[in-house]
Amino acid sequence: MKVVTVPLWLHPDGMRGRLLQTLLALPILGGLAFLGPEGPASADPPAGDPAVPVVVELFTSEGCSSCPPADEILRELDRTQPIRGVQIIPLEMHVDYWNDLGWADPFSDPSYSARQRGYASALGSQRVYTPQAVVDGEIEMVGSSGSRLREAIAGRRRPPSASVELSRKPDGGLDVRVTLAGNGAGRPEVFLALTEGGLKTAVQRGENSGRTLPHAPVVRSFTRLGAVSGGHFTGSAPLPQKKGAPRDLRAVVVVQDAGSRHMLGAATLRL
């Protein structure tokens, strides 16, 4: 908030001073009305524009005692979608390097650990840790820092470089169409993540022994579909069949530059 210095001749004890205080308070309070947890309303896209997709990857593990708060933050961001003009797309990726320390995470995969190491190299940090959040492949932070995470997500409210369209095929598969804006510089690649929400685990050993841990949408598979060529990509992929009890399954397609690791666009479809 801007600090206003009042000259002595308009001291608050005088009539003109009280009038000035009243006038100063009006625009300040009016400005505060536009500030919420999601930041200034001026950053919103124009009315009627679709929400900007922002991908939040959380590298986590059920064997890490510091991870449950970060899992809960991402789960709540997904549930409430609190930032105006943004569609938060959560990808909870369980690494495997905690598995030898008392509890083997059933959702872990060495490819997710490798993906995290790739971010460490691209972002210049040269370290991996849990819980680590990566926003749109550009900004990393401790995943349990809710305020920093929200600030980073709100800062990504700008039109994506790639538009992504998803649709179901008659045979139950997924059709993917990507169109890249501009001259198509860089090495854009297309990836498909299949996530499942509503998962929880009763941990029996390790740092979280005796706790039941609920999760944000967990990545169950992450595959490369291909590269964008000439500014376009068209492809398809099989999708899992929903059997038994209802499951919160989603297909998430992201377009990511192979060099910088920056996200160029994304879309999600409930299955």
Side-chain angles (χ1 to χ4, degrees):
M1 181 181 296
K2 184 177 180 180
V3 177
V4 179
T5 302
V6 180
L8 290 177
W9 63 275
L10 288 175
H11 192 273
D13 289 341
M15 181 179 296
R16 284 181 296 179
R18 288 193 293 273
L19 177 60
L20 179 62
Q21 282 187 315
T22 301
L23 293 174
L24 287 173
L26 290 174
I28 292 174
L29 292 175
L32 288 176
F34 291 94
L35 294 175
E38 66 277 358
S42 59
D44 284 346
D49 282 4
V52 175
V54 176
V55 178
V56 180
E57 296 174 74
L58 178 65
F59 295 94
T60 184
S61 171
E62 290 185 346
C64 161
S65 61
S66 302
C67 288
D71 299 347
E72 175 58 27
I73 288 171
L74 186 60
R75 191 163 67 98
E76 196 64 11
L77 287 173
D78 175 51
R79 185 183 70 83
T80 61
Q81 294 289 329
I83 302 176
R84 289 177 296 174
V86 166
Q87 179 193 17
I88 300 171
I89 300 179
L91 297 177
E92 190 174 287
M93 292 197 168
H94 289 237
V95 299
D96 70 334
Y97 49 80
W98 280 88
N99 285 359
D100 295 332
L101 301 177
W103 177 253
D105 189 327
F107 306 121
S108 64
D109 191 294
S111 66
Y112 306 155
S113 303
R115 182 169 174 81
Q116 188 185 26
R117 291 192 296 271
Y119 276 129
S121 177
L123 297 174
S125 63
Q126 300 302 324
R127 67 190 184 107
V128 296
Y129 61 92
T130 55
Q132 182 187 33
V134 179
V135 178
D136 264 357
E138 293 193 39
I139 309 167
E140 71 89 17
M141 69 203 68
V142 176
S144 54
S145 177
S147 59
R148 286 192 61 201
L149 185 55
R150 291 167 70 100
E151 181 181 2
I153 294 170
R156 298 294 303 167
R157 283 183 290 198
R158 54 179 182 262
S161 301
S163 65
V164 182
E165 298 179 11
L166 307 180
S167 60
R168 296 295 297 267
K169 298 174 61 178
D171 64 3
L174 181 71
D175 269 332
V176 180
R177 295 181 180 273
V178 174
T179 303
L180 199 64
N183 57 14
R187 292 182 291 144
E189 297 181 314
V190 183
F191 296 90
L192 168 64
L194 296 177
T195 70
E196 184 171 3
L199 296 173
K200 61 178 64 176
T201 301
V203 178
Q204 304 299 317
R205 295 177 298 279
E207 292 190 359
N208 290 312
S209 179
R211 301 179 64 181
T212 297
L213 305 181
H215 296 297
V218 174
V219 177
R220 306 306 303 269
S221 67
F222 191 85
T223 56
R224 181 182 183 273
L225 297 182
V228 178
S229 177
H232 298 278
F233 172 87
T234 301
S236 61
L239 293 174
Q241 299 296 316
K242 300 177 71 171
K243 298 179 180 179
R247 301 166 65 191
D248 178 11
L249 299 178
R250 309 179 199 178
V252 178
V253 171
V254 301
V255 183
Q256 187 170 31
D257 184 77
S260 67
R261 299 296 181 99
H262 294 176
M263 294 292 179
L264 306 177
T268 183
L269 180 70
R270 287 189 180 271
L271 305 179

